[in-house]
Amino acid sequence: MAGRNFLFVPGPTNVPERVQQAMVVSMEDHRSPKVPELTHAVIEGLKPVFKTTTATPIIFPSTGTGGWESALTNTLSPGDKVLASRFGQFSLLWIDMCERLGLEVEVVDAEWGEGVPVEKYQEILEADTDHTIKAVLATHNETATGVTSDIGGVRAAMDAADHPALLFVDAVSSIGSIDFRQDEWGVDIAVTGSQKGLMLPAGLGIVSVSEKALAAREGSKFPRCFFDYGDMIKANGTGYFPYTPSLPMLYGLREALAIMEEEGLENVFRRHHYLASGVRAAVMEGWGLQICAKAPKWYSDTVTAIMVPEGIDGAKVIDRAFRRYNLALGAGLNKVAGKLFRIGHLGDLNECMLLGALGGAEMAMQDVGIQITPGSGVAAAESYWRANEAEGAPA
Ligand SMILES: *Cc1c(COP(=O)(O)O)cnc(C)c1O
């Protein structure tokens, strides 16, 4: 197929040219004297992205899912109770992992399209006067439904209940794209992966671990080896890793962090909000369709889940977009399979790239029988972007 593939799934995201170039290197000795400088640069460089000065970033050759597992097995013990809420495929899978590891999960189900029910969390934590709940889990950005939760609110609920549980946050599709404040929100372990806001290929599971979480490690009775924080921190202290790291990925990460620093993290967040607002205008004002997120407070700046009209299979839109227009859109997962398709708008992205995705989605939707006015989404997004400024974007 001529021309380039338009990648608009919410991860993996487009890898910037500079990052691709940084990764094209000959293989080298991972124990050479030049490695500690790289190790130090990426670990220190991650701290501002998590907005932490006190936590310890750890990089595993893994993915976000490995990061989840590391958080649970380094701090808890089999049979421990955790509080979690389920409102999409990713929050669902983290709960499934907890159960499979032998944790007892107090599950709070919320509607798919809503986020962490903060008031309910507070009620449960206030009632847990014996402090049997050892950890509170929250998915910051539910990628399956395009919903962002209020993590500052979760912290406030825990404080209001005066509850000492650890706070673990899945920030896989928010870190580096949506404001995340580990220290301010008292997040004990924040989990991300390389292939979303960090603009790299998949292959790294990255966590940032608070001192409190590291202290909890002492009492943890889960068996662990590959994902042991102690082994990793000890080796990182000398500038190395306990096993063979992917140096090309670390070079790529160093370059991605440099790109983010050059743009300015706050400008990165503003750009994501501005681009996402244009996409939402296309969907709701242009096409007259609904998004999965139930209210503006849940709207995600990294992914929009577009509800297809009753009687239409969302999977057909995705299939048509890919086969005919070389455009990759995100699928509806689990409960929302067939009911929606998703446009990822995170990472290395600008207006014109998104217009391509919106135009392609428009053609594919019409092809499968969805009644929309041709060009209406593109026009609404253009109007939004022309009338607004992503602060820090070139004038
Ligand atoms: C992508 C994603 C994951 C899973 O990460 P993998 O890297 O595929 O293991 C977990 N949570 C959220 C919110 C995600 O978007």
Side-chain angles (χ1 to χ4, degrees), residues 229-253:
Y229 290 164
D231 291 351
M232 190 57 102
I233 289 170
K234 197 167 146 207
N236 285 170
T238 67
Y240 297 94
F241 287 80
Y243 30 70
T244 320
S246 168
L247 292 183
M249 284 292 283
L250 297 182
Y251 287 125
L253 176 58

Side-chain angles (χ1 to χ4, degrees), residues 185-236:
W185 298 340
V187 174
D188 290 296
I189 302 180
V191 178
T192 194
S194 47
Q195 78 276 23
K196 310 232 168 141
L198 293 175
M199 308 177 289
L200 290 156
L204 301 178
I206 303 174
V207 291
S208 181
V209 187
S210 75
E211 284 164 5
K212 183 175 163 187
L214 287 177
R217 212 181 132 263
E218 304 302 320
S220 161
K221 293 195 180 62
F222 267 117
R224 58 180 178 268
C225 176
F226 184 83
F227 284 124
D228 186 62
Y229 290 164
D231 291 351
M232 190 57 102
I233 289 170
K234 197 167 146 207
N236 285 170

Side-chain angles (χ1 to χ4, degrees), residues 10-11 62-66 68 90-91 139-144 170-173 192-196 202 204:
S62 180
T63 70
T65 305
W68 281 348
F90 294 98
S91 45
T139 297
H140 186 202
N141 189 74
E142 176 51 80
T143 319
D170 172 340
V172 179
S173 61
T192 194
S194 47
Q195 78 276 23
K196 310 232 168 141
L204 301 178

